[in-house]
């Protein structure tokens, strides 16, 4: 589904990604871990199409298309979804009132009919249940005065609405208490199937108890320095990142 | 036409002086004030960014007789479904056949201003021309000297006017240039209440100058809802001097929407001369093309314990220019005043500009005042967020601009009016989805 080859990116004069290689197939869950500042959010943002980052090398193929050529909106329409680490506040725009536009523009791109108001509402109700989110939150200005948990739950609600093929979850567990974490993880799990894939960016093992990864990668200084299975996450939890750092430096 | 370098428009205007049908005692003094002030040049601090005089010199021959308009309907200038008293002035004349006053006399008096002078309404003697800024603004003085026609509104005490009053001022510049000088004079007696909507429109290809002035007396406990819509299609320069005087316990909501016109200057002066008053004044300017719109506002807290809240927002596109200047005065004995001001601007195109300046002059010590001015581009983070959900860049921009703008509609009470304004804003910002 996703094939990243030697991806390098910078912002201004600062090189951040230094040659990433990663393959994600349909039905898989990948976890990307690594110390702060190693480039995890940058990787997710570059894939989602954030324009401040300049890709200097490499290719990204997504379902047979050259992803790097597409605008952010076309990437979303092709099936990419990023749950933001820091969702932005948008005064005056509620989740409900932009979700309808988003969904219908995606449908139009795919040659599907626009949803009428009734079907949209019905779908919304369904997805609200899935992530245990309250309608009142969806009526409020986006992320304005939301708690950390509300922000993240709202991101997963949007993911549920848009039904992406590839979801990039950037630190979706940060700032969540254990109940909220469980709800968010359950939401993600219910949305998983053999046709889609999830890339989870996280610092901590604890999310991976709920969303169990098939592969774990460690990102350090803009490179994947180690890959393994879910046991690698446990090892990182026990030993920290220092041994990875020294291994990487030696290599 | 003379070249602007050699013209002295103030002198030309004074020379073109003619006797008026309606005798108004204060005209003579106002001419004198106009003579002394002279039309503002670029050296005048208050008009530094807004070259009204240069515009007039370049485009007008000063003569006071306007062509008769052949307009037979104003349907398209009205607000659909709004059940209102309608009073129409065309080219500085009252048009009886296009006007329709349906509220009973017992609720409100609405007449041409000339008629109120002819019949000698007592409110004129008591309040007329008491608060307008004739001493400081040449256009205000000129209006006091030379207004051609106007609207008189009088609401007796304890009276709620059921229907809003819609004042439509048209400049029909299809045959030749038009210079209109019109005036609104309104008195709300104790504990009365009324809503007014002022709309101006200019049609035709010739130039129009609309020098407007108004005085609103909001007596003790009275409540005024005021909305001004400037959406002139033609080549108009409009200068509008508005004074709203508030006595104890009065309430005021104003909303000023500027969408079109070539050169617009609004001077809105709110005199809070009472305790426990509440004033909200909101404004929105959505500018395109070469429109230049300048909002100068003054709120003058003269008595203690009152509250004012100002919020003006602007979006500048094309080659447009926006100007905002907001003055807050808190006089020495106006303790416990709460005064808030905010002016926020988004510049959409590289060639649009905004000049914004708050001016707080506070002589009292026990007050709460705040102000904030911002000017910038659209929030890139927010734009990316919406696009990352599959929304096109064009629609995401429209959505953000609309959300930014629509906030100022919040205090508008009349639902029909609100829907109308909302549609105007959505249309201007291309939020057609
Ligand atoms: N917009 C930016 N401007 C400047 N530096 C940035 C920007 N975004 C990220 N960086 C830098 O790139 C590096 C990687 O950041 P990030 O991708 O956020 O790491 P992570 O998500 O792994 O913590 C850090 O050193 C960070 O300071
Ligand atoms: Mg990060």
């Amino acid at each position: 589904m996703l094939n990243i080859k030697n991806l390098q990116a910078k912002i201004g004069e600062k090189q951040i990604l230094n040659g990433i290689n990663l393959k994600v197939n349909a039905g898989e869950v990948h976890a990307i871990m690594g110390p702060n500042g190693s480039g995890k959010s940058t990787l997710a943002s570059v894939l989602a199409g954030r324009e401040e980052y300049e890709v200097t090398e490499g290719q990204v193929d997504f379902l047979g298309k050259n992803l790097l050529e597409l605008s952010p909106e076309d990437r979303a329409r092709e099936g990419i979804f990023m749950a933001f680490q820091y969702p932005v506040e948008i005064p005056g725009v509620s989740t409900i009132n932009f979700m309808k536009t988003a969904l219908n523009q995606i449908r139009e791109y795919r040659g599907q009919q626009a949803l009428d108001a009734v079907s949209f509402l019905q779908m919304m109700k369904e997805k609200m249940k899935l992530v245990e989110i309250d309608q009142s939150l969806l009526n409020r200005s986006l992320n304005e005065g939301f708690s950390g948990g509300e922000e993240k739950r709202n991101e997963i609600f949007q993911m549920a609405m848009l039904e992406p093929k590839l979801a990039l979850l950037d630190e979706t567990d940060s700032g969540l208490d254990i109940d909220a974490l469980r709800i968010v993880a359950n939401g993600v799990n219910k949305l998983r199937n053999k046709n889609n894939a999830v890339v989870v960016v996280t610092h901590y093992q604890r999310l991976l108890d709920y969303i169990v990864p098939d592969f774990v990668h460690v990102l350090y200084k803009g490179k994947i320095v180690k890959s393994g299975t879910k046991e690698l996450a446990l090892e990182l939890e026990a030993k920290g990142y220092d041994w990875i750092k020294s291994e990487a430096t030696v290599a | 036409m003379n070249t602007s370098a050699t013209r002295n428009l103030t002198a030309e205007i004074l020379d073109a002086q003619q006797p008026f049908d309606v005798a108004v005692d204060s005209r003579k003094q106002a001419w004198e004030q106009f003579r002394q002030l002279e039309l503002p040049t670029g050296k005048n601090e208050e008009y530094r960014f807004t070259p009204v005089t240069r515009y007039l010199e370049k485009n007008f021959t000063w003569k006071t007789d306007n062509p008769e308009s052949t307009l037979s309907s104003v349907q398209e200038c009205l607000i659909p479904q709004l059940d209102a008293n309608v009073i129409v002035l065309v080219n500085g004349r009252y048009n009886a056949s296009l006007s329709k006053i349906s509220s009973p006399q017992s609720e409100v008096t609405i007449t041409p201003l000339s008629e109120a002078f002819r019949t000698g309404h007592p409110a004129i003697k008591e309040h007329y021309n008491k608060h307008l800024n004739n001493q400081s603004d040449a256009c205000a003085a000129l209006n006091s000297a030379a207004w051609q026609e106007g609207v008189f509104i009088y609401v007796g005490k304890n009276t709620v006017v059921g229907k809003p009053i819609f004042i439509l001022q048209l400049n029909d510049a299809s045959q030749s240039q038009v210079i209109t000088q019109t005036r609104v004079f309104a008195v709300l007696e104790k504990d009365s209440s009324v809503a007014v909507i002022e709309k101006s429109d200019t049609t035709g290809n010739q130039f129009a100058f609309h020098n407007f002035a108004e005085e609103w007396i909001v007596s003790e406990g009275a409540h005024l809802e005021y909305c001004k819509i400037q959406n002139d299609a033609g080549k108009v320069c409009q200068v509008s001097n508005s004074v709203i005087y508030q006595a104890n316990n009065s309430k005021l909501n104003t909303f000023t929407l500027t969408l079109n016109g070539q050169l617009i200057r609004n001077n809105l002066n709110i005199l809070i001369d009472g305790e426990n008053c509440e004033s909200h004044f909101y404004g929105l300017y959505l500018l395109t093309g070469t429109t230049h719109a300048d909002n100068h506002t003054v709120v003058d807290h003269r008595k203690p314990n009152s509250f004012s809240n100002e919020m003006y927002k602007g979006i500048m596109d094309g080659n447009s220019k926006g100007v905002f200047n907001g003055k807050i005065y808190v006089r020495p004995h106006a303790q416990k005043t709460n005064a808030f001001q905010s002016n926020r601007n988004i510049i959409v195109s590289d060639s649009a500009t905004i000049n914004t300046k708050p001016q707080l002059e506070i002589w009292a010590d026990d007050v709460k005042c705040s102000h904030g001015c911002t000017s910038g581009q659209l929030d890139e983070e927010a734009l990316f967020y919406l696009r990352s959900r599959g929304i096109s860049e064009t629609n995401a921009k429209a959505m953000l601009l609309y959300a930014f703008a629509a906030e100022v509609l919040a205090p508008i009470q009349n639902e029909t009016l609100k829907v109308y304004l909302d549609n105007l804003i959505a249309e201007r910002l291309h939020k057609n989805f």
Side-chain angles (χ1 to χ4, degrees), chain B residues 39-259:
Chain B
L39 286 169
T41 64
K43 292 195 197 87
N44 182 320
E45 186 57 30
E46 293 300 316
Y47 281 84
R48 197 151 69 92
F49 297 112
T50 302
V52 169
T53 308
R54 205 166 60 209
Y55 181 94
L56 295 178
E57 284 174 348
K58 191 166 155 216
N59 299 313
F60 289 86
T61 322
W62 200 268
K63 53 182 170 47
T64 47
D65 48 334
N66 286 328
E68 283 287 347
S69 170
T70 51
L71 272 175
S72 57
S73 163
V74 288
Q75 199 56 40
E76 63 195 46
C77 301
L78 302 179
I79 296 178
Q81 267 95 48
L82 184 78
D83 186 14
N85 296 291
V86 177
I87 183 157
V88 182
L89 303 179
V90 184
N91 288 357
R93 294 183 196 92
Y94 168 61
N95 188 316
S97 62
L98 297 174
S99 301
K100 190 176 127 269
I101 311 297
S102 51
S103 287
Q105 270 281 327
S106 58
E107 270 185 20
V108 60
T109 304
I110 307 169
T111 66
L113 187 56
S114 56
E115 191 180 313
F117 272 91
R118 236 173 248 122
T119 57
H121 196 286
I124 287 176
K125 193 151 191 243
E126 200 176 338
H127 297 292
Y128 173 77
N129 210 29
K130 293 274 198 300
H131 303 291
L132 201 75
N133 44 331
N134 294 321
Q135 303 85 352
S136 57
D137 190 283
C139 290
L142 178 60
N143 181 287
S144 293
W147 58 262
Q148 300 144 332
E149 185 51 282
V151 176
F152 172 64
I153 296 168
Y154 180 82
V155 188
K157 64 180 179 194
N158 296 319
T159 312
V160 174
V161 182
K163 289 182 189 176
I165 301 169
F166 185 79
I167 302 172
L168 180 62
Q169 306 201 53
L170 290 173
N171 301 303
D172 178 357
S174 53
Q175 302 155 59
S176 68
Q177 69 154 55
V178 171
I179 296 172
T180 54
Q181 302 208 59
T182 55
R183 179 112 168 184
V184 167
F185 171 58
V187 176
L188 281 66
E189 295 287 15
K190 192 165 182 287
D191 296 324
S192 67
S193 157
V194 70
V196 64
I197 299 147
E198 290 178 356
K199 188 162 181 267
S200 56
D201 273 298
T202 300
T203 58
N205 289 322
Q206 309 298 316
F207 287 94
F209 174 45
H210 186 184
N211 184 29
F212 175 68
E214 62 188 328
E215 301 161 279
W216 290 84
I217 309 296
V218 186
S219 307
E220 193 176 334
H223 178 179
L224 172 63
E225 291 283 320
Y226 168 105
C227 173
K228 186 195 276 295
I229 303 167
Q230 297 171 314
N231 193 12
D232 299 63
K235 297 189 218 164
V236 70
C237 168
Q238 184 181 116
V239 177
S240 169
N241 277 288
S242 309
V243 172
I244 303 176
Y245 175 89
Q246 286 188 262
N248 287 339
N249 302 310
S250 60
K251 257 191 90 171
L252 170 68
N253 277 321
T254 78
F255 177 65
T256 304
L257 175 66
T258 308
L259 295 173

Side-chain angles (χ1 to χ4, degrees), chain A residues 88-99 124 128 133-151 154 157-158, chain B residues 385-386 403:
Chain A
V88 52
E89 280 184 19
I90 310 187
V93 175
S94 72
T95 308
I96 290 187
N97 75 34
F98 87 90
M99 263 295 114
M124 222 180 65
M128 274 163 51
I133 199 168
D134 210 59
Q135 169 123 27
S136 64
L137 195 72
L138 304 179
N139 283 325
R140 277 168 51 186
S141 280
L142 192 65
N143 297 317
E144 216 176 36
F146 283 22
S147 70
E150 287 170 335
E151 281 178 358
N154 188 264
F157 168 76
Q158 293 177 39
Chain B
Y385 188 95
L386 293 177

Side-chain angles (χ1 to χ4, degrees), chain A residues 31 33-35 171 173 178 181 202-210 216-218 226 229-244:
Chain A
M33 304 184 75
E171 310 269 1
D173 52 336
I178 198 74
L181 181 71
T202 182
H203 253 74
Y204 305 105
Q205 152 64 23
R206 65 172 195 169
L207 178 67
L208 305 180
D209 288 339
Y210 297 94
V216 174
H217 312 278
V218 181
K226 204 169 184 65
T229 54
K230 62 175 188 282
E231 285 71 27
L232 176 58
L234 290 168
E235 198 177 351
L236 289 167
E237 178 85 354
K239 302 208 290 197
Y241 286 111
D242 285 348
W243 63 283
I244 297 270

Side-chain angles (χ1 to χ4, degrees), chain A residues 36-37 39-42 85-86 170-171 201 203:
Chain A
N36 262 331
K40 303 183 297 295
S41 291
T42 302
Q85 179 173 8
Y86 304 109
D170 191 2
E171 310 269 1
V201 172
H203 253 74

